[in-house]
Amino acid sequence: MKRIALMLIGLLLLSTAPVVKSISVPEYAGLSLIELGLKDSVVFGNYEIKFADVDPYWTKAALDIYENGVKKATAVLGLGDSYYYPSSTNTLLKLTLKWARSDKKTILVAIESPLVKIALDEKLNEGEAYALPSGFPSIKIKLVDAYDTSAKFTVYLPYTTITKTVNENDGFGITYQLTDDVSYYPYVFVVLKSSVNNEYATVDIYVPKYAATTLKIKRATTEETTTTETTLEPTELVYNDILYVGEILTINYNSTVYKLRLNSIGYYSSLSLFNENNTPLETFRVKEGGSYTSKKAPIRIEIPPNSVDLVYNRTYIKIYAPSGAEVLPIVREAKIKVDLSTNVKEMLLNGEELIVFVNVENQGRGKAFDVNVIAPLPNNFELKSGIGTWSLKTLDAFTKMPVLVYTLKPTQVGKYDLGKVKVEYYNEAGQKKVVTSNEVRGIVVYSIPEISLSAEAFNGTWSTYVTTQEKSVKLRFKISAGKGNPEFEFIKNATLELILPDSIDGETTIKLGDIKAGEEKIVEGQYVILKQAVSIIGAKLKYQDPLGNWHEKYFGNLLIVNSIPPKVIVEEKVQKVYPKPEELPDYIKKTLDSLNNPTPLAQAIENVTVNYLPKKLDYKTPLIVILLILVVALGAATVNYKNKYEIVKSKLERRKKRPGGLPKKEEEEQEVKTPEVEKEEVL
């Protein structure tokens, strides 16, 4: 059951997985089938394939393979067999015997070359084109429109234009027509990897490994025109200069035009020779430090030792030809770039100087002649010195002028821009060119304003010299910055450090902060005088300039405080005279009579004298106490009599009269006793 469940899960995952379409790129590009009779041959670029022999039954054919006129191999093929040249692991050409007819005495041969990728994930924006590298025909693939999942391309061939629309993960091939009867397909194969609507597309581009575009059929029955080998010796040096890969030199000799193209460089560099109709004559290799004499033209090519430059894809080359031959010069364009820079962008007036660096470089293939550099001088700066050469006769390709250096001294604070450097030169065609550099903006020149410090002490008035008998003294300090431009002339993080003698104590470090030109700051503080002395007070001002450098400025003998002992104040004691005891009553009476409201004083005197007067008999208090006792006793008696009355009353009500006869003895006795009790209770 577990296996079945796992299988079902696997099938479900496979069913939901996205289907990725594989891109089908042909393995080979091939020529149209070529029909050859016995001894006929096909010349394809530098290679010639010749139908050399056949068996009696026309089931096998022998094909000879020549490279640049030299026989390299023989392929014996049966029908449907293939031969890989030079090997199956490094195939350049694949030959296949497709068909043989004994009645016509001809065979059909397929010639193919493997497709190789020359562009991987090439990104083309809409309207942008990709051109095949040098050595290929002039073919361009242009992205016309990019859609969400497809793209439209236009392919420009030397003889026609083709438009194709292709979906993502699909491709298309382009046929290149070699002759009226023979074509090469696909000479270019384009694969669309991805497309973004209205923006760009990503493609891979394939071409044949052997991408020759010349083909010729040589028939054994027709008279072939062969090139007569020259007997003239190429002894005169007609070219001694750099040649870049893909460039073509044109050599004229005796009204004949030869074209020499550099295909590639390395330890062995590849070159091709063409006639004036661009028909290939031969392709050959020249070893670095060696030479080659052409078999098709009176030309000898030499590559000097250590001449190959792989960085810039070029080499020095010497070409020898017979006397009277000439080489048309290749006019290349120089590309001058100028860079302007300085050592600093913030500086102090009357401080360091501004050092300016000018770098001039030729980034093009052509030479620049009569190079002249014109450097800027901004306002409020003066030129102090200049180092380097300001003109150069020739600036070769991919070389730099020595760095040009000059110094400027500012004469005024402010913010300045260093303008563009101008370079004038002539290109290889003799045309005057002018290029300019970047600008250096925001060069700021600062300055430190003149700083002054004054101090005063307070002793009724402010003065630089005071005499005081107090235990403390108030000090005031004024820091002033001279006139100027406050935006560019200032100090920052200023601190005033007081230099106090041991006779005065108080705060010695005072934070001032930033002080701009034309600004002043006043600070005050109270200071304790510890002893008698003539105290001289100084100060040290510490601050940073606008660039952050620290400075100190000393100020001595700012003020003097002369502290003397305080005065001794003797208070005279006044002897108070009081009236005699016998005089007090009369004194008090006179005093009370002199007052408008004597009551408060009289009351105060009474409160004092009352404790000294004899005590008077107080009859009111005992009488009140007696009355209170009597009231309480009468109340208690009243309550008692009422209770007894209630008891007697209740007994009398319980007594009943009998219907006759005498009362009982007990009742009589009780009756006789009752009045006595009541009487006693009453008493």
Side-chain angles (χ1 to χ4, degrees):
M1 292 297 291
K2 290 183 177 179
R3 288 185 178 181
I4 294 174
L6 292 173
M7 290 175 63
L8 290 174
I9 292 172
L11 290 173
L12 180 61
L13 292 174
L14 288 173
S15 65
T16 58
V19 178
V20 179
K21 180 181 178 181
S22 62
I23 303 173
S24 179
V25 179
E27 186 177 359
Y28 290 91
L31 304 179
S32 305
L33 292 179
I34 298 174
E35 186 176 9
L36 296 176
L38 191 60
K39 305 302 180 181
D40 288 349
S41 63
V42 54
V43 179
F44 181 36
N46 297 330
Y47 293 92
E48 181 178 357
I49 296 94
K50 184 175 183 179
F51 180 18
D53 202 357
V54 66
D55 71 335
Y57 305 101
W58 284 81
T59 57
K60 289 186 178 182
L63 301 176
D64 290 339
I65 302 172
Y66 295 83
E67 181 179 354
N68 293 322
V70 179
K71 183 178 178 180
K72 295 292 186 179
T74 298
V76 178
L77 304 175
L79 293 178
D81 292 342
S82 297
Y83 179 82
Y84 300 89
Y85 177 81
S87 67
S88 58
T89 57
N90 183 27
T91 303
L92 185 65
L93 295 175
K94 176 185 175 184
L95 308 179
T96 304
L97 182 60
K98 290 292 188 178
W99 176 62
R101 292 189 60 175
S102 59
D103 56 339
K104 293 185 63 176
K105 307 298 182 183
T106 59
I107 60 173
L108 285 178
V109 179
I111 303 175
E112 298 173 291
S113 182
L115 279 179
V116 293
K117 188 184 296 183
I118 62 169
L120 174 64
D121 293 331
E122 183 76 20
K123 181 180 177 182
L124 295 177
N125 297 317
E126 277 194 351
E128 190 176 1
Y130 174 85
L132 296 189
S134 62
F136 289 88
S138 178
I139 298 177
K140 294 182 179 180
I141 301 101
K142 179 180 179 182
L143 176 62
V144 179
D145 292 303
Y147 309 111
D148 286 330
T149 58
S150 62
K152 183 179 180 181
F153 297 89
T154 296
V155 181
Y156 297 91
L157 299 168
Y159 52 86
T160 188
T161 301
I162 301 171
T163 299
K164 295 279 188 178
T165 300
V166 62
N167 296 323
E168 285 184 349
N169 296 319
D170 205 351
F172 66 90
I174 298 298
T175 300
Y176 193 88
Q177 199 71 32
L178 302 182
T179 67
D180 293 339
D181 301 320
V182 181
S183 60
Y184 203 172
Y185 178 86
Y187 194 83
V188 177
F189 194 85
V190 180
V191 175
L192 178 62
K193 302 287 287 295
S194 63
S195 179
V196 177
N197 189 36
N198 295 327
E199 292 190 21
Y200 65 87
T202 304
V203 297
D204 290 347
I205 299 175
Y206 298 80
V207 295
K209 189 174 183 180
Y210 187 66
T213 56
T214 58
L215 185 135
K216 179 180 179 183
I217 306 296
K218 295 169 62 175
R219 302 298 179 185
T221 56
T222 60
E223 184 179 352
E224 299 182 20
T225 303
T226 59
T227 303
T228 304
E229 294 186 4
T230 179
T231 58
L232 297 175
E233 289 293 330
T235 57
E236 185 173 326
L237 181 63
V238 294
Y239 187 83
N240 183 17
D241 206 342
I242 286 175
L243 191 64
Y244 289 86
V245 171
E247 287 186 333
I248 298 175
L249 283 174
T250 301
I251 305 165
N252 293 325
Y253 172 68
N254 197 21
S255 301
T256 303
V257 176
Y258 300 97
K259 295 180 180 179
L260 182 67
R261 183 181 69 191
L262 179 61
N263 301 320
S264 63
I265 60 171
Y267 186 65
Y268 283 92
S269 298
S270 173
L271 298 100
S272 294
L273 189 65
F274 302 84
N275 61 18
E276 60 182 343
N277 297 320
N278 296 323
T279 301
L281 299 178
E282 62 176 328
T283 297
F284 51 90
R285 294 182 179 274
V286 181
K287 180 181 177 181
E288 187 175 14
S291 64
Y292 175 81
T293 301
S294 174
K295 300 179 179 61
K296 305 293 183 178
I299 296 171
R300 182 166 63 88
I301 298 95
E302 179 183 322
I303 297 180
N306 303 318
S307 297
V308 175
D309 185 354
L310 295 174
V311 176
Y312 298 110
N313 223 17
R314 62 184 181 176
T315 183
Y316 270 93
I317 191 168
K318 294 182 178 180
I319 298 177
Y320 296 87
S323 179
E326 63 177 8
V327 176
L328 297 181
I330 299 175
V331 178
R332 306 182 183 97
E333 189 62 46
K335 186 178 180 182
I336 303 298
K337 182 181 179 183
V338 192
D339 181 69
L340 178 67
S341 60
T342 59
N343 62 326
V344 294
K345 293 192 71 174
E346 293 182 336
M347 57 189 307
L348 288 175
L349 189 68
N350 300 322
E352 62 180 328
E353 296 176 343
L354 183 68
I355 304 176
V356 185
F357 305 95
V358 182
N359 287 278
V360 181
E361 181 181 3
N362 183 3
Q363 297 181 346
R365 291 184 172 185
K367 296 179 181 180
F369 302 97
D370 295 330
V371 183
N372 187 31
V373 181
I374 303 170
L377 181 63
N379 294 331
N380 298 320
F381 280 82
E382 60 181 12
L383 181 65
K384 297 298 293 183
S385 63
I387 305 171
T389 304
W390 298 96
S391 60
L392 192 67
K393 190 65 178 177
T394 303
L395 184 60
D396 290 327
F398 304 111
T399 59
K400 296 180 180 180
M401 288 183 68
V403 179
L404 306 177
V405 182
Y406 64 100
T407 58
L408 299 173
K409 186 174 182 61
T411 60
Q412 186 175 324
V413 298
K415 189 173 184 180
Y416 304 97
D417 296 332
L418 190 60
K420 298 179 179 180
V421 174
K422 184 168 67 172
V423 177
E424 298 176 346
Y425 69 97
Y426 291 88
N427 64 8
E428 293 183 352
Q431 300 170 328
K432 185 176 181 179
K433 300 286 184 178
V434 178
V435 295
T436 56
S437 72
N438 57 300
E439 295 183 4
V440 178
R441 295 184 175 273
I443 299 173
V444 184
V445 180
Y446 296 103
S447 181
I448 301 174
E450 185 66 30
I451 302 296
S452 61
L453 174 64
S454 62
E456 294 177 310
F458 184 75
N459 185 21
T461 58
W462 292 99
S463 176
T464 58
Y465 178 90
V466 295
T467 302
T468 180
Q469 297 176 335
E470 303 296 332
K471 294 295 184 181
S472 64
V473 64
K474 182 182 290 187
L475 304 181
R476 181 169 69 188
F477 300 90
K478 182 169 69 173
I479 302 91
S480 303
K483 292 183 179 181
N485 188 332
E487 183 180 358
F488 302 102
E489 297 181 70
F490 57 86
I491 62 174
K492 57 185 182 179
N493 299 324
T495 302
L496 185 64
E497 295 183 358
L498 302 184
I499 303 173
L500 301 177
D502 58 1
S503 57
I504 295 180
D505 188 27
E507 183 65 40
T508 58
T509 302
I510 304 172
K511 300 288 186 181
L512 301 174
D514 299 347
I515 304 175
K516 298 181 179 181
E519 182 182 6
E520 69 176 18
K521 288 191 176 183
I522 299 175
V523 292
E524 296 181 358
Q526 197 76 19
Y527 291 80
V528 178
I529 298 176
L530 301 177
K531 61 182 179 180
Q532 177 184 356
V534 176
S535 303
I536 300 174
I537 299 174
K540 182 170 62 176
L541 184 64
K542 296 178 66 176
Y543 60 90
Q544 287 179 293
D545 60 35
L547 300 184
N549 303 310
W550 283 100
H551 301 267
E552 290 186 0
K553 191 173 184 180
Y554 177 75
F555 299 88
N557 301 330
L558 288 173
L559 58 90
I560 299 174
V561 177
N562 185 8
S563 56
I564 62 176
K567 294 180 179 179
V568 179
I569 301 174
V570 180
E571 294 183 357
E572 184 178 355
K573 293 185 178 179
V574 179
Q575 188 69 32
K576 296 183 179 180
V577 180
Y578 297 101
K580 297 179 179 179
E582 60 272 17
E583 295 176 347
L584 280 175
D586 186 52
Y587 179 77
I588 292 172
K589 184 177 183 306
K590 289 181 180 180
T591 301
L592 293 173
D593 290 341
S594 65
L595 299 176
N596 292 330
N597 184 13
T599 301
L601 179 59
Q603 184 66 44
I605 295 172
E606 183 182 6
N607 293 337
V608 174
T609 60
V610 68
N611 295 326
Y612 299 93
L613 295 176
K615 302 293 183 180
K616 294 182 179 180
L617 181 62
D618 189 3
Y619 59 87
K620 293 182 180 180
T621 302
L623 183 59
I624 292 171
V625 172
I626 294 170
L627 288 176
L628 289 174
I629 294 172
L630 289 175
V631 170
V632 172
L634 287 174
T638 302
V639 173
N640 187 28
Y641 283 130
K642 184 177 179 181
N643 292 336
K644 290 182 177 183
Y645 172 76
E646 291 296 332
I647 294 170
V648 173
K649 183 179 178 181
S650 63
K651 289 181 178 182
L652 289 177
E653 287 178 353
R654 288 194 303 266
R655 184 181 298 174
K656 293 182 181 180
K657 295 181 178 183
R658 296 184 179 180
L662 296 172
K664 293 182 179 182
K665 185 177 180 179
E666 296 177 355
E667 293 176 354
E668 290 178 356
E669 293 177 354
Q670 188 175 4
E671 289 176 359
V672 173
K673 293 178 180 179
T674 301
E676 296 177 356
V677 173
E678 292 176 355
K679 186 176 179 179
E680 292 175 359
E681 292 175 355
V682 170
L683 293 175

